[in-house]
Amino acid sequence: QPCTYPCQCPQQPLQCPAGTSHVLDACGCCKVCARQLGELCSLQKPCDHHKGLYCDFSKIHRGSGICLAHEGATCDLLGKIYHNGESFQPTCKLQCICMDGAIGCIPLCSDDLRLPSPECPNPRRVKLRNKCCEEWVCEEGSEENRFETAMAVFREDPAHKPELNDLQENCLVQTTEWSACSKSCGMGISARVTNDNPQCRLEKETRLCMVRPCDFPREKTKKGKKCVRTPKPRQSLRFEFSGCTSTRSYRPKFCGSCTDGRCCTPYVTSTAEVEFRCPEGDFFQRKMMFIKVCSCHYDCPRDNDIFLATYHRRMIGDHV
């Protein structure tokens, strides 16, 4: 169909299945749900190029094609082979994709944690019949137990008792340290749990992290030194995440290496918001770790799976 300007896009927000990208149509006007491997496609219904898919018009006529994947390695999961670009669900809790031999997954169930509160003193997560994901239920208790439980979360002010409609003011903030970065080089993810929100609910929070670039040169060892620092880049750099680039450039500190077999990882960090711009013109912000101090230690990370981090060493973050 010919393009018409000015653009007229639907007012309601775009609702796409989990793991499906939002991409611009051929007119560059409206965001649409990207077509997946094996689905019909057209100029107005493009394929998910973030997953290496393209629209092949050679097999179907009248302006339609079929989404195919560029050549790439297949994936083997528990003896089952998946093609490059193929999406699949190994369980009802995960949506996965094969990308050139690597498997990446996103959870379909929320992994949030719930802290006791006056209106829900005894939260419990239960498996419901005919439902894949567990859900929170609140067990009723006596009025005395309700306030005893709530006091573990809320400050006790002698002037007045906590009011149910003023949760954040009386919330006793509890925050864990940031977990280690999921990748030893390149862009990864770090996580922590905090209840610093208007609902005073304990929830998982994530930030981007980069211990060191994968192709960054390292300095030579100085005499008497066991920890080799990685210098600041001479020129400022822009971070890249999911095909998008930071709108401003940075000169971050990175961790180097240790000469005695130990690992060099971040020890003291801070967090700042970084704005990214995508090729389609979208902007979004993500929290990102910035390294202040690195340290050598023997608690070395193991090889990380693409979506299941096995390394649990903590970092001192910016929550104090």
Side-chain angles (χ1 to χ4, degrees):
Q1 295 178 358
C3 300
T4 57
Y5 298 98
C7 299
Q8 294 182 348
C9 301
Q11 295 295 326
Q12 61 270 25
L14 198 59
Q15 298 290 336
C16 300
T20 300
S21 303
H22 296 184
V23 296
L24 284 172
D25 58 23
C27 297
C29 274
C30 306
K31 285 294 182 70
V32 295
C33 298
R35 298 293 168 146
Q36 304 303 302
L37 186 68
E39 293 181 349
L40 293 177
C41 53
S42 66
L43 292 176
Q44 300 303 324
K45 298 176 181 178
C47 299
D48 200 334
H49 61 86
H50 295 125
K51 299 177 181 177
L53 303 181
Y54 67 97
C55 194
D56 185 355
F57 292 98
S58 63
K59 298 179 175 59
I60 301 179
H61 300 289
R62 295 185 180 178
S64 294
I66 188 168
C67 287
L68 299 179
H70 294 289
E71 289 188 13
T74 58
C75 302
D76 184 347
L77 181 65
L78 302 176
K80 190 168 183 179
I81 303 298
Y82 298 95
H83 297 288
N84 180 41
E86 183 176 358
S87 297
F88 59 96
Q89 281 188 249
T91 72
C92 62
K93 296 183 178 182
L94 290 174
Q95 177 72 43
C96 303
I97 182 172
C98 172
M99 295 189 70
D100 199 16
I103 297 175
C105 297
I106 59 172
L108 299 177
C109 296
S110 172
D111 60 350
D112 65 323
L113 301 174
R114 184 157 187 175
L115 205 62
S117 61
E119 64 272 356
C120 187
N122 299 304
R124 191 164 56 92
R125 206 165 190 171
V126 297
K127 179 76 171 68
L128 300 179
R129 188 177 180 183
N130 299 327
K131 287 195 175 183
C132 175
C133 304
E134 294 86 2
E135 294 185 8
W136 287 106
V137 295
C138 295
E139 292 184 348
E140 290 295 331
S142 66
E143 194 68 25
E144 183 179 350
N145 289 338
R146 285 167 64 91
F147 276 105
E148 285 180 1
T149 308
M151 286 308 165
V153 185
F154 295 91
R155 298 189 187 91
E156 186 172 4
D157 189 341
H160 62 277
K161 292 292 181 182
E163 297 179 12
L164 301 186
N165 61 353
D166 200 8
L167 299 179
Q168 194 168 24
E169 181 181 345
N170 298 292
C171 183
L172 182 61
V173 175
Q174 302 179 56
T175 306
T176 66
E177 294 176 355
W178 288 103
S179 68
C181 194
S182 62
K183 289 190 177 181
S184 58
C185 73
M187 193 68 79
I189 298 291
S190 175
R192 69 178 180 182
V193 175
T194 181
N195 67 336
D196 190 8
N197 52 63
Q199 292 75 34
C200 194
R201 285 186 56 177
L202 207 58
E203 295 178 342
K204 187 177 181 181
E205 182 181 35
T206 60
R207 66 177 179 178
L208 301 176
C209 54
M210 184 184 292
V211 178
R212 61 183 67 84
C214 293
D215 56 351
F216 207 66
R218 297 182 180 180
E219 288 187 338
K220 294 181 180 179
T221 310
K222 293 182 180 179
K223 189 174 181 180
K225 296 286 185 180
K226 290 185 177 179
C227 188
V228 182
R229 72 179 183 91
T230 301
K232 276 189 175 183
R234 294 180 180 179
Q235 294 182 342
S236 57
L237 57 84
R238 295 182 186 269
F239 297 116
E240 292 187 5
F241 175 63
S242 294
C244 306
T245 307
S246 61
T247 54
R248 55 163 289 197
S249 55
Y250 298 85
R251 289 191 64 202
K253 289 182 180 178
F254 296 120
C255 290
S257 58
C258 306
T259 60
D260 54 359
R262 293 185 295 172
C263 304
C264 189
T265 60
Y267 180 63
V268 180
T269 65
S270 64
T271 304
E273 291 277 354
V274 174
E275 186 179 59
F276 290 86
R277 185 181 188 279
C278 301
E280 291 88 356
D282 282 355
F283 290 86
F284 66 88
Q285 289 187 331
R286 288 287 186 277
K287 291 178 179 169
M288 184 158 182
M289 175 193 79
F290 286 87
I291 299 170
K292 291 186 173 181
V293 179
C294 298
S295 66
C296 289
H297 56 89
Y298 287 107
D299 184 16
C300 299
R302 293 170 284 173
D303 290 335
N304 287 312
D305 186 272
I306 191 171
F307 63 94
L308 293 177
T310 57
Y311 177 42
H312 300 291
R313 190 172 190 270
R314 304 286 175 173
M315 291 183 287
I316 298 176
D318 57 341
H319 60 270
V320 178

